C-alpha cells in the first residue's frame, strides 16, 4: 500500500471500470493492487477505524443526498494530512465547489 517514496494509497470503489483503472494506477506507481478494494465511503470509514490512514484516499460516494454525514464520519478517522479524492456520479458544479470548500482534494 506504500511505494518507495513513502506514498500510500487506499481506494474503495464500486464500479468495475473504476476498480480496474485504479489498480492500474496503483501498479504503475509501485503501490500494488492490494490497496484497491470494492466498496464505498462507508467501507473506507469502517476500514480506517482500525487501520492507519494513507496519504491518498479515493472513495466513492453513493449520491449527493446524505453525503455530508458520511464525509464527517470519514474525517473523524482520517489524518489531517490525508488527501481525499471523491468518486461518484454527481455532475454538478455547486457540489464540486462545496467539496472543495470542505477540504476534499479532488472530485
Amino acid at each position: 500500500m506504500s511505494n518507495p517514496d513513502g506514498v500510500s494509497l487506499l481506494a474503495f470503489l464500486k464500479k468495475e471500470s473504476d476498480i480496474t483503472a485504479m489498480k492500474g494506477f496503483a501498479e504503475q506507481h509501485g503501490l500494488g493492487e492490494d490497496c484497491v478494494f470494492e466498496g464505498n465511503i462507508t467501507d473506507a470509514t469502517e476500514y480506517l477505524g482500525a487501520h492507519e490512514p494513507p496519504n491518498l484516499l479515493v472513495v466513492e460516494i453513493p449520491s449527493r443526498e446524505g453525503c455530508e454525514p458520511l464525509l464527517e464520519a470519514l474525517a473523524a478517522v482520517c489524518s489531517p494530512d490525508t488527501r481525499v479524492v471523491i468518486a461518484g456520479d454527481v455532475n454538478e458544479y455547486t457540489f464540486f465547489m462545496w467539496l472543495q470548500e470542505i477540504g476534499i482534494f479532488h472530485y
Side-chain angles (χ1 to χ4, degrees), residues 42-103:
T42 303
D43 300 311
T45 302
E46 289 174 13
Y47 181 89
L48 291 173
H51 297 87
E52 187 174 327
N55 303 102
L56 179 62
L57 175 65
V58 180
V59 295
E60 186 168 319
I61 57 169
S63 67
R64 179 184 179 144
E65 293 74 34
C67 75
E68 188 169 354
L70 296 172
L71 289 168
E72 288 172 3
L74 182 65
V77 296
C78 278
S79 162
D81 297 329
T82 300
R83 293 185 176 207
V84 178
V85 175
I86 301 294
D89 292 328
V90 181
N91 188 14
E92 191 176 301
Y93 182 72
T94 55
F95 181 67
F96 170 75
M97 293 306 298
W98 175 74
L99 290 174
Q100 295 287 296
E101 287 172 16
I102 65 168

